[in-house]
Amino acid sequence: MTTRTVAIGSSVGLHARPAALFVEAVNKAGVPVTICKPGGDPRPANSMLTIMALGAKHGDEVVLGCEADNADAVLDELVALLERDLDAE
């Protein structure tokens, strides 16, 4: 499994708007992606409830995982999204 660790860039963390944008991007990728906090149990990243339940705040790290053939490209795109302050856009 290909993984990436990223610090949350949104100033208020992965609350409703940033979480919705992230879930939309995961679903658009069309491949299974997992998310968890470091050392946590990976969960499907295509669920708004899963993302909100993480309770990830600004600066918290999360680990994304993917086993698809295009995992590197998918994860790079998702990492770039999470690194941005989606609340400021």
Side-chain angles (χ1 to χ4, degrees), residues 28-86:
K28 186 177 178 181
V31 295
V33 176
T34 60
I35 190 168
C36 64
K37 287 191 173 179
D41 202 15
R43 302 281 184 214
N46 66 343
S47 163
M48 186 74 167
L49 289 176
T50 298
I51 304 307
M52 297 294 290
L54 281 174
K57 297 176 176 38
H58 174 76
D60 286 356
E61 288 189 336
V62 294
V63 179
L64 304 177
C66 183
E67 292 184 357
D69 291 338
N70 60 341
D72 285 320
V74 168
L75 294 180
D76 288 346
E77 183 178 319
L78 294 174
V79 163
L81 181 68
L82 290 179
E83 288 176 329
R84 297 180 0 219
D85 186 354
L86 299 172

Side-chain angles (χ1 to χ4, degrees), residues 7-21:
I8 303 300
S10 287
S11 56
V12 292
L14 280 180
H15 71 92
R17 183 172 183 276
L21 293 171

